[in-house]
Amino acid sequence: MLPFIKETETAWDRLKNTKKPVVLYGMGNGADKILDWCEANGVKVAAIFASDDFVRGQIFRGYKICKYADVVSQYQDFLLVIAFASESPVVLEHFFALAHKHETLAPHLPLFDGDEVVSFSWLAKYQQELMEVYINLADEKSREVLAATLNYKLSGKLSYLEAITTMRQEDCQQIFRFDKEETFVDLGAYDGDTIKEFLNYTNSSYREIVALEPDSKNFKKLQRFVEEAGLEHVSLLNKGIWSDEGTLSFAASGGRQSALQSDGKVEVPVDSVDHIMQGRQVSYMKLDVEGAEFEALSGAAETIGKWAPKLFVAAYHRDDDLWRLPILLWHLNKNYDIYLRKHPYVPAWELNFLAVSQNDTQGQ
């Protein structure tokens, strides 16, 4: 077993083995999945509570939703299971406060049905690849983040996430060096939020922005943002990103979770970075493309090999990406220093690789 794995019991085994009442916090898709698992494995859920503002006599899956105070009054000692995701600072602070008061789990669930997830057998299967990544990450903080993430995904314990969470803007400004002649390729541009972030890094000075967003509703928001901001030298493409040019099924949500999926209800055009840029220089590229990061990087092989752009790559959509993405990047350009950072979110979303050429470091 990997030397940095400290946990010996998974969150699911803990749910099976506990003698405490099991109480869920939250409703929605996450709660549905956890309740389904509990029913299939003979784990009784004693109660479900929600934030006081959301109770209002609601019924969820046959449970009358109660308040936290009601749960404390009735059970005193219980196993609390967080069953929804959040990036809100107020909610995250509340999660961590609860975890200091009660035994608390936030079980790790796959974002895509059928994906492999971190387990003891998964760790054994990919031990060599994970160790290669762990050894070759750029700094000790990155190794700490990888180790804590894997221990969290096994155990569901929030203490691991609380210990490694840092702020995205501070990490980007510490690891990357931005100048006034950046060419920014934004893959998964959503409504322009990461263009806005980029403009903040560069004081609104840049050479060119190329932004892709496949969801038609999001694309309209993106167009409106660019128009209202009066931005020039910006190319917007209503496409998905992939390893080559074509058409793929797409599940459109009009939000951040829109994704290329085999069972998607609409067809969207997709393209590769190399085909779009046609050899032109790229100095910074962000990829948050809902599980298509590996294919997107594969389709940027020539760009990465030639220009070694700064890279901000989401690493949380598929567990295999924790080793697949950095190994692919080192194959495409051996000069990358790769950092791993965890930004505010529970569960372990907003986990990101930041890669920078050894010829362009700031001496971190």
Side-chain angles (χ1 to χ4, degrees):
M1 184 58 68
L2 295 162
F4 48 81
I5 297 299
K6 307 302 181 185
E7 294 297 322
T8 58
E9 184 181 44
T10 69
W12 306 108
D13 287 337
R14 180 60 188 148
L15 283 171
K16 287 181 182 179
N17 297 333
T18 186
K19 303 300 182 183
K20 301 176 183 179
V22 174
V23 175
L24 265 59
Y25 177 17
M27 301 173 283
N29 292 338
D32 269 325
K33 291 179 180 180
I34 293 170
L35 282 170
D36 288 344
W37 181 92
C38 288
E39 291 174 2
N41 289 273
V43 174
K44 182 181 178 181
V45 173
I48 301 177
F49 75 94
S51 301
D52 290 355
D53 292 342
F54 291 94
V55 175
R56 296 191 298 270
Q58 289 198 52
I59 303 293
F60 180 75
R61 293 280 292 261
Y63 290 85
K64 183 179 179 181
I65 304 304
C66 58
K67 298 181 179 181
Y68 168 69
D70 299 330
V71 174
V72 172
S73 175
Q74 183 170 357
Y75 297 108
Q76 285 85 46
D77 188 23
F78 52 87
L79 175 55
L80 191 158
V81 180
I82 292 175
F84 70 101
S86 182
E87 61 181 332
S88 161
V90 173
V91 175
L92 295 183
E93 184 178 353
H94 183 50
F95 283 169
F96 296 139
L98 288 172
H100 287 290
K101 292 179 181 179
H102 312 281
E103 182 181 3
T104 301
L105 303 179
H108 170 57
L109 297 165
L111 285 173
F112 299 98
D113 292 339
D115 269 10
E116 287 187 291
V117 294
V118 173
S119 64
F120 289 113
S121 61
W122 184 91
L123 291 170
K125 182 178 180 180
Y126 298 115
Q127 179 173 343
Q128 181 176 342
E129 292 87 347
L130 289 164
M131 201 65 204
E132 177 183 348
V133 172
Y134 181 82
I135 291 170
N136 289 292
L137 286 170
D139 65 355
E140 189 59 36
K141 177 66 177 179
S142 298
R143 288 182 279 276
E144 177 188 343
V145 171
L146 179 59
T149 297
L150 293 173
N151 278 288
Y152 159 74
K153 290 189 173 190
L154 280 174
S155 69
K157 295 178 181 177
L158 291 185
S159 56
Y160 288 110
L161 299 186
E162 186 177 16
I164 60 171
T165 297
T166 52
M167 301 308 295
R168 173 175 172 139
Q169 180 173 329
E170 293 174 5
D171 288 332
C172 286
Q173 291 180 315
Q174 178 184 8
I175 292 170
F176 295 144
R177 181 175 64 236
F178 293 97
D179 61 35
K180 296 181 179 181
E181 293 295 321
E182 301 283 347
T183 296
F184 175 36
V185 173
D186 190 356
L187 306 177
Y190 184 44
D191 63 358
D193 57 344
T194 44
I195 293 178
K196 184 177 181 180
E197 179 183 75
F198 168 74
L199 295 173
N200 183 51
Y201 295 149
T202 64
N203 292 318
S204 298
S205 296
Y206 59 90
R207 179 182 296 167
E208 182 183 9
I209 296 173
V210 178
L212 276 72
E213 173 54 51
D215 186 293
S216 58
K217 291 183 179 178
N218 291 341
F219 188 73
K220 290 178 181 177
K221 297 174 188 175
L222 176 63
Q223 287 179 310
R224 185 163 58 249
F225 166 75
V226 170
E227 290 171 3
E228 291 178 354
L231 301 180
E232 299 180 341
H233 309 296
V234 177
S235 300
L236 302 180
L237 303 176
N238 190 193
K239 292 183 175 183
I241 196 68
W242 199 247
S243 54
D244 51 22
E245 190 178 16
T247 303
L248 291 174
S249 298
F250 184 72
S253 71
R256 293 181 184 276
Q257 281 72 49
S258 298
L260 296 167
Q261 295 182 12
S262 59
D263 59 350
K265 296 182 179 180
V266 298
E267 298 287 314
V268 297
V270 295
D271 211 337
S272 71
V273 170
D274 288 341
H275 183 252
I276 293 167
M277 297 308 295
Q278 293 289 304
R280 303 197 325 267
Q281 183 179 7
V282 177
S283 62
Y284 179 46
M285 186 158 57
K286 184 225 79 182
L287 300 87
D288 191 343
V289 288
E290 301 304 320
E293 284 79 11
F294 186 89
E295 291 77 12
L297 288 172
S298 299
E302 294 179 9
T303 302
I304 290 171
K306 181 177 182 180
W307 299 111
K310 298 180 287 292
L311 296 171
F312 186 99
V313 185
Y316 61 93
H317 296 109
R318 303 184 189 277
D319 285 1
D320 288 357
D321 284 347
L322 283 171
W323 59 267
R324 288 201 313 165
L325 298 183
I327 289 176
L328 173 61
L329 281 176
W330 284 318
H331 172 73
L332 297 177
N333 194 316
K334 66 181 187 309
N335 290 321
Y336 271 121
D337 285 333
I338 301 178
Y339 299 80
L340 181 61
R341 294 294 187 263
K342 172 70 181 74
H343 299 132
Y345 224 119
V346 168
W349 301 354
E350 285 304 319
L351 185 70
N352 300 295
F353 286 116
L354 287 72
V356 60
S357 171
Q358 293 170 3
N359 300 322
D360 191 35
T361 61
Q362 299 187 67
Q364 288 87 356

